[in-house]
């Protein structure tokens, strides 16, 4: 009989562990869809770890064996040398030390792909132990099943992963696992003498049959429409209108939806691409022309024109503008990609080794890549462009009429735009005659009237508020979207065609080549930017930069006697400014004030950095606390037993013994020894002893009864404690 039970138990644990492994795979499968992760190697390592954990080898054997497997996977992914060449091990150690320094400094976003893969492999290693404990030892699988359903549900709702098939698989695996867990508990707790053949005939086959029938019926049955609305739009709306102040928080970077501007954001220094350039310039992506009072949209439907041979027909300025022929190379880093091409003003052609077609979207002047009829992204490409140089004198003397289609499209304003926006624009430009002078006056207005560049505590306009009106007259704080949108709206209120452009600033210089007169710029999410383009007849679209701390990267030329409208001093552009600097200061007092503002804002930057680091530390502490709570929950019985034993040893009296004995009754119930309603304590104790082949429960029960009736604990302390400990060990075994 004992041999048969051992065989059955072994089969149960194997089937349960396989079910746990299959459920764990459901956590890995989505990674292939929501990221560019090759999950095959991780699935292989998971199978390897789960296989070793099942046999419960001594830790002196299992840890080195699993560690060797982990190193083999790491070597296969990131090294080309022989596995037996130990030089790569030194590189692994250096890589680990480097990333550990990044972790302790709070720079989690800079962790390398190597270290992230290593951490993920370690997590799989730990999960093989945890799932063995849950599924095989404790037979407590409900929690992991529920977590798996929740995990897949969240991914299905908020990512591109389609979780319908995964939900069906989890349902089938879970029901089979629950059935096997119930059978295993019955056999282990009641020691039912059942053979393998009987188990298959009377339990497993009916279980599989029932689950299969239920799954088929559930899959084929008609489905009701969703009873709850999709939570994603609701959450997005809630994020757009947090609290009474309407403050929301996002992450800086390029996005296609600009219909709801405003709100705070956090910096994201993730590097998108590196560009080899001869001159710094804006990286343009698209423009928007319809201001709604809350943000920007486009008035025309998407209209793609095929660009034959990579020759780009986009023209933002006329042939009369003086240009210089230049070239730039762009290479994206890691798995980062953008859905559209980033390009400089004057782009003429694009070359890439990838088999794609370029299409120009006339509605927004965006350049898209199409591969096999579907939208695609590029890893690298080269651009030839004609870099423009705008003649200030020609812009000032420009008096031609705007084309009707330009005037109608790019002077649009919402009907409910507050009048005081137009009144302010008229007041700023009343002493200026030419279009260029008016544009420069509005561009300079922000730097001389207390407007501040700020990325936090930025409110979104309420339903009845206008985005520009709120910025100009209420808050006077914001970032590039606030400044650029306000300037476009004020220009349009003066009848000047203008539009909103977006893309990236030039980035941070990381390398240079003096011989070729080129340098390499690193462009990150934090370089995302928006600016203003103003239309000049017979010239085209000219960029302007109203945002505090940024410098217009367009090239302007003027005669040496152009004293009334000098060019702004050349300075290194501030790529992600946190400064309130005064442009065009006319005396030393204003300059000193600007320097004081810079110092104050620099201190604010340091506070923001500390705040971000504190946030990472708090997240880490939270994770550690959760792990501690999980460990305490798993070991709650052992912890309770430890304190009861200490209490018996240090404070041996009637109260301590009664507490220990009552917990013993509770523990036997948790382990399957249920006391019948008509069963006396002695009868129950005798049944427990018979099952455990012991006598401790009966002896302790007699001591407990004597204590209850005589109100006095009799017996030797050491003997009673030893009886209690022996029984506890047998029940927990």
């Amino acid at each position: 009989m004992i041999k048969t039970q051992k065989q059955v138990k072994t089969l149960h644990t194997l089937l349960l562990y396989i079910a746990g492994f299959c459920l764990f795979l459901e956590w890995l499968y989505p990674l292939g869809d929501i990221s560019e992760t090759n999950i095959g190697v991780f699935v292989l390592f998971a199978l390897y770890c789960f296989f070793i954990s099942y046999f419960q080898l001594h830790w002196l054997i299992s840890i080195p064996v699993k560690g060797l497997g982990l190193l083999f996977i790491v070597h296969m992914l990131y090294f080309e040398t022989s596995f037996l060449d130990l030089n790569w091990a030194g590189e692994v150690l250096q890589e680990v030390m480097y990333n550990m320094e990044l972790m302790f400094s709070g720079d989690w976003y800079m962790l390398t792909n190597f270290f992230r893969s290593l951490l993920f492999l370690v997590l799989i290693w730990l999960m093989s132990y945890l799932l063995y404990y849950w599924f095989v030892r404790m037979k407590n699988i409900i929690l992991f099943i529920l977590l798996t359903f929740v995990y897949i549900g969240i991914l299905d709702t908020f990512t591109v992963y389609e979780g319908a098939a995964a939900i069906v698989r989890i349902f089938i695996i879970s029901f089979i696992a629950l059935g096997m867990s119930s059978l295993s508990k019955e056999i282990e707790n009641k020691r039912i003498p059942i053979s393998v053949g009987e188990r298959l005939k009377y339990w497993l086959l009916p279980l599989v049959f029932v689950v299969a029938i239920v799954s088929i019926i559930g899959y084929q049955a008609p489905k009701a429409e969703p009873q709850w609305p999709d939570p994603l739009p609701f959450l997005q709306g809630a994020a757009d209108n947090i609290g009474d102040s309407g403050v929301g928080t996002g992450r800086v970077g390029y996005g296609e939806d600009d219909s709801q501007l405003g709100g705070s954001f956090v910096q994201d220094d993730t590097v998108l691409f590196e560009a080899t350039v001869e001159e710094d310039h804006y990286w343009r992506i698209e423009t928007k022309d319809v201001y709604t009072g809350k943000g920007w949209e486009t008035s025309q439907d998407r209209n793609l024109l095929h660009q034959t041979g990579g020759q780009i027909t986009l023209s933002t300025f006329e042939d009369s503008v003086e240009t210089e022929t230049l070239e730039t190379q762009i290479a994206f880093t890691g798995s980062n990609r953008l859905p559209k091409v980033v390009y400089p003003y004057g782009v003429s052609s694009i070359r890439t080794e990838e088999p794609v077609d370029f299409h120009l979207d006339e509605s927004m002047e965006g350049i898209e890549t199409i591969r096999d009829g579907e939208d695609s992204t590029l890893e690298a490409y080269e651009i030839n462009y004609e870099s423009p140089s705008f003649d200030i004198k020609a812009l000032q003397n420009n008096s031609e009429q705007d084309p009707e289609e330009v005037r109608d499209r790019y002077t649009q304003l919402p009907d409910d735009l507050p009048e005081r926006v137009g009144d302010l624009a008229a007041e700023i430009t009343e002493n200026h005659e030419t279009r260029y002078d008016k544009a420069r006056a509005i561009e300079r207005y922000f730097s001389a009237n207390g407007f501040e560049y700020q990325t936090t505590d930025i409110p979104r306009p309420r339903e009845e508020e206008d985005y520009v009106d709120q910025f100009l007259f209420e808050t006077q704080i914001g970032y590039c979207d606030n400044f650029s949108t306000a300037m476009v709206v004020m220009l349009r209120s003066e009848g000047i065609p203008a539009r909103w452009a977006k893309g990236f600033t030039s980035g941070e210089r990381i390398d240079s080549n003096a011989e070729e007169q080129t340098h390499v710029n690193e462009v990150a999410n934090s370089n995302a930017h928006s600016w203003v383009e103003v239309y000049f007849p017979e010239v085209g679209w000219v960029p302007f930069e109203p945002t505090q701390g940024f410098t217009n990267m367009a090239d302007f030329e003027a005669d040496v006697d152009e004293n009334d409208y000098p060019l702004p001093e050349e300075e290194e552009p501030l790529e992600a400014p946190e400064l309130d600097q005064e442009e065009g200061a006319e005396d030393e007092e204003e300059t000193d004030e600007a320097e004081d503002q810079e110092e104050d804002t620099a201190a604010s930057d340091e506070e923001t950095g500390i705040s971000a680091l504190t946030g990472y530390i708090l997240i880490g502490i939270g994770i550690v606390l959760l792990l501690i709570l999980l460990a305490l929950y798993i070991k709650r019985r052992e912890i309770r037993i430890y304190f009861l034993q200490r209490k018996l040893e240090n404070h041996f009296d009637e109260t301590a013994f009664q507490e220990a004995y009552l917990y013993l009754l509770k523990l036997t119930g948790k382990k399957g020894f249920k006391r019948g309603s008509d069963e006396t304590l002695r009868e129950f104790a005798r049944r427990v002893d018979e099952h455990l082949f012991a006598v401790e429960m009966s002896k302790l029960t007699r001591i407990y009864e004597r204590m209850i009736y005589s109100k006095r604990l009799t017996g030797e302390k050491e003997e009673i404690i030893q009886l209690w400990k022996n029984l506890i060990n047998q029940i927990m075994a």
Side-chain angles (χ1 to χ4, degrees):
M1 182 180 69
I2 296 177
K3 181 178 180 181
T4 303
Q5 287 178 347
K6 186 176 181 180
Q7 290 172 341
V8 175
K9 181 179 178 181
T10 302
L11 182 58
H12 289 163
T13 57
L14 177 61
L15 293 176
L16 275 175
Y17 202 47
I18 291 175
F21 175 72
C22 293
L23 287 177
F24 180 68
L25 290 183
E26 297 297 339
W27 290 69
L28 297 181
Y29 291 148
L31 300 180
D33 292 337
I34 64 179
S35 67
E36 297 187 359
T37 304
N38 181 7
I39 66 171
V41 66
F42 296 108
V43 171
L44 180 64
F45 183 69
L47 179 62
Y48 176 78
C49 287
F50 275 66
F51 179 79
I52 295 174
S53 294
Y54 175 74
F55 291 102
Q56 287 296 283
L57 302 175
H58 193 277
W59 66 270
L60 289 176
I61 300 176
S62 64
I63 290 181
V65 171
K66 288 185 178 180
L68 186 64
L70 184 147
L71 292 176
F72 181 80
I73 295 294
V74 168
H75 177 271
M76 182 176 64
L77 288 175
Y78 294 99
F79 297 94
E80 298 180 356
T81 60
S82 171
F83 183 75
L84 300 178
D85 183 2
L86 298 182
N87 290 330
W88 65 272
E91 298 181 27
V92 169
L93 183 60
Q94 292 178 0
E95 190 78 11
V96 170
M97 296 300 295
Y98 169 73
N99 283 274
M100 291 295 290
E101 292 178 1
L102 293 177
M103 290 177 61
F104 286 118
S105 63
D107 298 325
W108 295 80
Y109 56 89
M110 294 182 63
L111 296 180
T112 63
N113 290 334
F114 167 86
F115 193 67
R116 293 174 183 176
S117 299
L118 182 64
L119 292 179
F120 192 53
L121 290 171
V122 172
L123 176 62
I124 293 174
W125 181 342
L126 297 177
M127 285 301 298
S128 67
Y129 284 115
L130 182 60
L131 291 183
Y132 181 87
Y133 181 84
W134 276 352
F135 278 73
V136 178
R137 295 191 59 185
M138 301 302 297
K139 309 293 189 301
N140 188 8
I141 64 178
I142 292 294
L143 178 60
F144 188 69
I145 290 174
L146 292 177
L147 289 176
T148 306
F149 275 116
V150 171
Y151 169 74
I152 296 299
I154 291 175
L155 291 184
D156 181 72
T157 302
F158 297 101
T159 71
V160 298
Y161 181 67
E162 295 291 339
I167 294 294
V168 174
R169 292 194 301 267
I170 296 170
F171 172 84
I172 295 174
I173 296 169
S174 300
F175 267 78
I176 293 176
L178 288 170
M180 296 305 302
S181 176
S182 299
L183 175 61
S184 180
K185 287 181 179 179
E186 290 294 321
I187 293 175
E188 293 180 15
N189 293 336
K190 298 183 179 179
R191 297 191 178 272
I192 299 176
I194 180 173
S195 66
V196 176
E198 290 173 332
R199 174 188 172 279
L200 292 173
K201 182 178 180 180
Y202 296 113
W203 194 282
L204 183 58
L205 292 180
L207 175 65
V208 173
F209 178 77
V210 170
V211 173
I213 293 299
V214 172
S215 301
I216 292 173
I217 294 175
Y219 186 78
Q220 297 294 335
K223 310 295 188 300
E225 293 297 322
Q227 301 301 303
W228 295 341
D230 186 354
L232 187 56
F234 171 78
L235 294 176
Q236 289 176 335
D240 291 340
N241 300 279
I242 296 175
D244 294 335
S245 63
V247 176
T249 302
R251 183 170 293 274
V252 65
Y254 169 74
E256 296 184 333
D257 184 4
D258 304 300
S259 59
Q260 293 287 336
L261 296 180
S264 305
F265 67 79
V266 295
Q267 290 287 359
D268 180 4
D269 294 323
T270 302
V271 177
L272 295 177
F273 61 91
E274 294 181 356
T276 303
V277 297
E278 299 177 48
E279 296 179 357
D280 289 339
H281 50 70
Y282 287 122
W283 294 103
R284 198 168 182 259
I285 296 182
E286 62 190 16
T287 64
K288 300 281 178 71
D289 62 335
V290 176
Y291 175 66
T292 64
K294 294 291 187 291
W296 288 98
E297 297 178 354
T298 181
S299 61
Q300 300 179 356
D301 294 332
R302 185 185 184 204
N303 181 27
L304 297 181
L305 298 179
H306 181 255
Q307 306 294 285
T308 306
Q311 299 298 312
I312 309 301
T313 59
L314 172 64
S315 177
T316 58
F317 50 83
E318 302 297 333
D319 294 338
S320 59
V321 176
E322 183 179 348
T323 62
E324 179 184 7
T325 301
L326 298 174
E327 181 179 295
T328 181
Q329 294 87 35
I330 296 174
F332 285 84
T333 61
S335 59
N336 299 314
R337 299 289 186 275
L338 289 175
K340 296 180 181 179
V341 173
V342 293
Y343 59 90
Y345 280 94
V347 56
S348 58
S349 65
I350 305 176
R351 300 185 304 277
T352 180
E353 297 181 357
E354 302 179 49
V356 298
D357 295 322
F358 294 99
H359 290 74
L360 174 64
D361 180 6
E362 286 190 316
S363 65
M364 296 187 294
E365 297 190 351
I367 302 175
E368 303 183 16
T369 52
I370 308 294
R371 178 185 286 127
D372 298 329
E374 297 183 356
D375 294 342
S376 180
T377 58
L378 298 176
E379 294 184 6
Y381 45 90
E382 298 180 1
I383 297 179
N384 286 98
Y385 64 103
E386 301 295 325
S387 180
S389 180
F390 300 103
D391 185 349
I392 292 181
K393 196 173 187 64
L395 296 177
Q396 290 172 340
N397 296 333
N398 192 297
S399 60
E400 299 295 328
Q401 294 294 319
D402 296 311
E404 183 177 354
E405 63 274 11
V406 173
R407 184 175 63 253
D408 292 344
R409 181 177 179 185
Y410 296 107
T411 57
Q412 168 273 338
L413 288 172
D415 296 334
D416 57 353
L417 181 73
E419 292 185 6
R420 59 180 180 176
V421 175
D423 294 341
L424 177 62
E427 180 182 346
I428 295 172
T429 60
E430 63 180 346
N431 295 325
H432 303 280
E433 298 294 332
T434 70
R435 178 170 300 184
Y436 175 80
D437 298 339
K438 291 181 178 182
R440 286 286 287 151
I442 294 177
E443 182 184 46
R444 291 171 174 168
Y445 169 77
F446 301 101
S447 63
N449 290 274
F451 286 81
E452 298 180 10
Y453 184 96
Q454 188 170 312
T455 61
T456 57
D457 297 327
I458 308 299
R460 295 180 187 271
R462 298 181 180 88
E463 183 177 355
E464 70 280 3
E465 285 185 315
D466 180 87
Y467 176 66
V468 168
D469 181 80
Q470 180 197 53
F471 172 64
L472 291 176
F473 301 102
E474 302 296 335
T475 64
Q476 294 190 330
I477 58 172
Y479 41 91
C480 57
D481 291 347
N482 300 88
F483 288 92
S484 57
T485 301
M487 181 173 176
V488 172
V489 170
M490 286 197 288
L491 286 169
R492 288 185 175 188
S493 69
E494 287 293 293
I496 299 174
R499 65 187 180 186
W500 191 67
K502 59 185 293 190
F504 294 89
T505 57
S506 62
E508 179 182 356
R509 183 177 299 190
I510 61 173
D511 194 10
S512 61
N513 188 324
E515 183 177 345
E516 297 183 3
Q517 296 184 339
T518 62
H519 57 272
V520 178
N521 285 349
E522 196 175 62
V523 181
N525 274 326
S526 55
N527 296 115
H529 190 54
S530 60
W531 60 92
V532 179
E533 293 180 354
V534 181
Y535 184 78
F536 290 82
E538 298 186 351
V539 175
W541 293 99
V542 179
F544 285 81
E545 181 54 85
T547 304
Q548 282 281 57
F550 285 77
T551 300
N552 194 344
M553 296 187 203
D555 185 20
F556 291 88
E557 290 186 352
D559 296 336
V560 294
D561 60 347
E562 195 68 38
N563 296 320
D564 294 332
Y565 308 97
L567 287 173
E569 296 180 2
E570 292 188 4
E571 57 183 358
E572 191 69 19
L574 300 176
E575 303 306 338
E578 300 290 340
L579 302 174
D580 288 337
Q581 67 178 34
E582 297 289 332
E583 290 186 2
E586 297 180 356
D587 53 40
E588 293 182 0
E589 181 179 354
E590 291 181 349
T591 302
D592 293 340
E593 180 181 354
E595 291 176 354
D596 292 339
Q597 290 178 348
E598 290 178 358
E599 293 176 358
D600 293 340
T601 312
S604 174
D605 284 351
E606 294 176 358
E607 294 175 0
T608 303
I610 294 175
S611 176
L613 177 59
T614 304
Y616 286 122
I617 293 175
L618 291 177
I619 291 173
I621 293 174
I623 294 173
V624 172
L625 290 177
L626 286 176
L627 292 175
I628 292 174
L629 290 175
L630 178 61
L632 291 175
Y633 177 78
I634 293 174
K635 298 293 184 180
R636 64 191 184 282
R637 293 193 180 97
E638 290 85 345
I639 295 172
R640 177 66 171 160
I641 291 170
Y642 171 78
F643 283 106
L644 285 174
Q645 181 179 331
R646 291 293 302 273
K647 189 172 183 179
L648 281 174
E649 293 173 347
N650 299 328
H651 305 284
F652 185 75
D653 56 15
E654 291 81 359
T655 302
F657 177 72
Q658 182 175 0
E659 186 179 354
Y661 181 81
L662 292 178
Y663 182 75
L664 189 61
L665 292 179
K666 180 180 179 180
L667 189 60
T668 55
K670 293 289 186 181
K671 292 297 184 177
F673 302 104
K674 296 293 184 181
R675 180 187 174 192
S677 58
D678 58 346
E679 194 175 23
T680 66
L681 274 178
R682 290 195 179 189
E683 290 172 343
F684 175 68
R686 190 181 305 114
R687 182 161 61 86
V688 172
D689 283 339
E690 290 176 355
H691 189 89
L692 297 176
F693 302 104
V695 295
E696 284 85 356
M697 189 65 181
S698 296
K699 290 183 178 181
L700 289 172
T701 300
R702 287 194 293 270
I703 295 172
Y704 177 73
E705 288 178 338
R706 287 198 300 269
M707 184 191 74
I708 293 297
Y709 294 126
S710 65
K711 305 299 182 181
R712 185 168 57 88
L713 180 60
T714 59
E716 293 292 333
K717 170 184 175 181
E718 290 75 12
E719 181 183 0
I720 293 175
I721 294 176
Q722 191 61 47
L723 287 172
W724 186 84
K725 290 169 59 177
N726 291 343
L727 191 56
I728 287 289
N729 291 334
Q730 292 182 66
I731 294 174
M732 295 295 293

